[in-house]
Amino acid sequence: MKIHVNLPSHPYDILIENQGLYRVGEWVASFWQPQKIVIISDNRVANLYAEHVKLQLESQGFQVAVFDFLAGEPSKNLTTIEKIYDFLSSFGMSKADGIIALGGGVVGDLAGFVASTYMRGLHFLQIPTSLIAQVDASIGGKTGVNTKTAKNLLGTFHQPDGVLIDPEVLKTLGERELIEGMGEVIKCALIADINLWQLLEEMAGTRESILKNAEQLIYQSCQVKKEFVLADEYDTGLRHFLNFGHTIGHAIEQTVGYGDIYHGEAVAMGMIQVAKIAEEKGLMAKGISNEIKTMCQKFGLPVAPLKWDKEKLYQAITHDKKANGKQLKLVLVPEKGQPKIESIAIEDVRDYLEKK
């Protein structure tokens, strides 16, 4: 399966292919001339795939080095970025060379940020290996780095030259790592794809069911994201719909701790919480919050964090990049497939943090 992202500034293809990783050298050679490449990965993914990818690239005439860092969201910071810059410099990278992100969403965000800023921009490819990266983080050109203040507070837009998605690699994920990706899949279905929602309803909700349907889940989710990216590459309008559940979700991640909760889990909690309060306010259809909760529970996503500090969540949200002065653009889904933006006063977001 192939999806063409026809951006005027930088068109590229998303290739979804079982066992695609076994011809990665040929795939990269179709984009780039022989040059230096740094594969950026985390230590877990690097142990599984980095040597295989490196050998394939070298067989095509590329000069390759691998940089890996400690897996997990806590590594997505400027300290890691500086270490990567030093590594690139020592390897003698020039503007004619490229970076490949091999890993999950954290890897893609970091590698993309580095590719967009080192020497004011290197070319870049994405090879996402987690479900959440395959359906969301690897597509659209957003990069991001966390600070002590907020998640993804620093970032750029830097489109890849291509994205290679191999659903087969999902078999190596742990149960929790696989399931968290379903938070973003459910979000895509809610905001733009009723057929995807119907597929989710038909599925068993087990690990085996996710893996069996992975190619279709990825394809339909990528189609959703592609359409919003094409409509709004730089996230100034319609692309905000992709943030359903993220305003509260990001705040949950920050306050609970990145090591204790995964992004897809926090998104699931954020969607449920927003829907519950919006439904009470008459802004979303009656019963939709329960439908979202039931779907999340079906696939094993947690629906409420163990820690819930309303004031800390509020403080985190006021620093979120989606906040604009005294207003916040909150994404709601009045009916499945029909998202809308509700602009609310920052102070009024407290209503959406009430646990009942």
Side-chain angles (χ1 to χ4, degrees):
M1 295 181 175
K2 186 180 287 187
I3 297 173
H4 185 55
V5 184
N6 192 27
L7 286 168
S9 61
H10 194 95
Y12 60 92
D13 289 330
I14 303 165
L15 178 62
I16 305 167
E17 182 179 291
N18 283 312
Q19 299 191 341
L21 204 59
Y22 289 94
R23 65 178 196 91
V24 65
E26 174 189 338
W27 178 72
V28 175
S30 72
F31 296 97
W32 297 347
Q33 296 295 316
Q35 60 191 260
K36 289 182 178 180
I37 294 176
V38 169
I39 300 168
I40 298 177
S41 190
D42 65 43
N43 60 314
R44 293 176 186 169
V45 175
N47 286 338
L48 290 169
Y49 303 117
E51 186 63 21
H52 166 78
V53 173
K54 181 174 183 287
L55 289 173
Q56 284 212 31
L57 293 173
E58 288 173 340
S59 73
Q60 295 288 332
F62 296 103
Q63 185 179 346
V64 187
V66 178
F67 179 93
D68 67 84
F69 57 87
L70 187 65
E73 190 80 24
S75 291
K76 202 169 92 173
N77 56 46
L78 289 173
T79 300
T80 305
I81 292 291
E82 187 170 5
K83 290 177 181 177
I84 299 174
Y85 288 153
D86 290 343
F87 184 86
L88 298 181
S89 180
S90 66
F91 190 54
M93 293 285 279
S94 74
K95 284 184 70 65
D97 299 320
I99 286 175
I100 294 177
L102 177 66
V106 171
V107 170
D109 281 355
L110 279 176
F113 185 85
V114 168
S116 69
T117 53
Y118 188 80
M119 292 188 170
R120 297 189 177 89
L122 305 179
H123 42 276
F124 176 53
L125 292 169
Q126 285 268 22
I127 306 177
T129 60
S130 69
L131 181 58
I132 200 158
Q134 291 178 349
V135 302
D136 181 62
S138 65
I139 306 151
K142 276 189 179 181
T143 76
V145 182
N146 302 336
T147 69
K148 293 179 181 179
T149 305
K151 180 181 171 74
N152 292 334
L153 194 62
L154 305 179
T156 63
F157 288 92
H158 193 64
Q159 299 293 345
D161 293 338
V163 181
L164 175 64
I165 297 175
D166 184 349
E168 290 287 318
V169 304
L170 299 179
K171 294 177 181 178
T172 65
L173 293 181
E175 189 83 4
R176 188 179 175 192
E177 286 77 10
L178 178 66
I179 287 171
E180 76 143 331
M182 295 304 295
E184 290 286 359
V185 174
I186 292 168
K187 177 207 74 179
C188 286
L190 282 165
I191 65 172
D193 193 340
I194 297 300
N195 290 331
L196 178 55
W197 183 267
Q198 290 173 345
L199 173 60
L200 294 172
E201 287 184 320
E202 293 165 4
M203 288 171 59
T206 61
R207 175 185 178 88
E208 292 72 22
S209 180
I210 294 171
L211 293 174
K212 178 182 177 182
N213 291 279
E215 193 171 2
Q216 192 63 36
L217 293 173
I218 294 165
Y219 179 78
Q220 289 186 232
S221 298
C222 286
Q223 285 282 16
V224 168
K225 184 148 192 186
K226 166 202 163 182
E227 293 303 324
F228 285 112
V229 170
L230 288 179
D232 179 21
E233 181 179 358
Y234 296 108
D235 201 15
T236 60
L238 290 176
R239 190 167 172 172
H240 290 168
F241 291 143
L242 292 166
N243 291 325
F244 180 51
H246 285 60
T247 299
I248 292 177
H250 282 173
I252 292 171
E253 286 182 85
Q254 186 180 340
T255 57
V256 172
Y258 295 123
D260 296 325
I261 194 165
Y262 292 171
H263 176 67
E265 296 172 339
V267 168
M269 296 174 193
M271 289 190 297
I272 293 165
Q273 180 66 18
V274 166
K276 181 174 61 176
I277 303 303
E279 186 179 324
E280 290 178 357
K281 291 175 175 287
L283 298 172
M284 289 178 61
K286 200 71 176 174
I288 195 169
S289 62
N290 192 55
E291 286 189 75
I292 298 171
K293 181 178 180 180
T294 299
M295 185 66 79
C296 290
Q297 287 176 318
K298 173 181 177 177
F299 286 98
L301 287 159
V303 297
L306 297 176
K307 305 173 187 176
W308 188 274
D309 188 316
K310 178 178 174 180
E311 189 55 36
K312 286 184 178 179
L313 287 167
Y314 175 75
Q315 292 302 321
I317 288 171
T318 61
H319 288 96
D320 191 278
K321 60 188 180 299
K322 291 180 285 297
N324 181 17
K326 296 181 179 181
Q327 294 291 120
L328 179 75
K329 293 180 178 179
L330 190 65
V331 183
L332 306 179
V333 183
E335 300 280 353
K336 289 192 286 291
Q338 299 177 30
K340 66 170 288 189
I341 300 290
E342 187 77 12
S343 185
I344 64 173
I346 286 287
E347 183 65 28
D348 291 343
V349 81
R350 292 182 187 274
D351 293 347
Y352 288 86
L353 302 178
E354 292 291 344
K355 291 294 287 180
K356 298 179 181 179

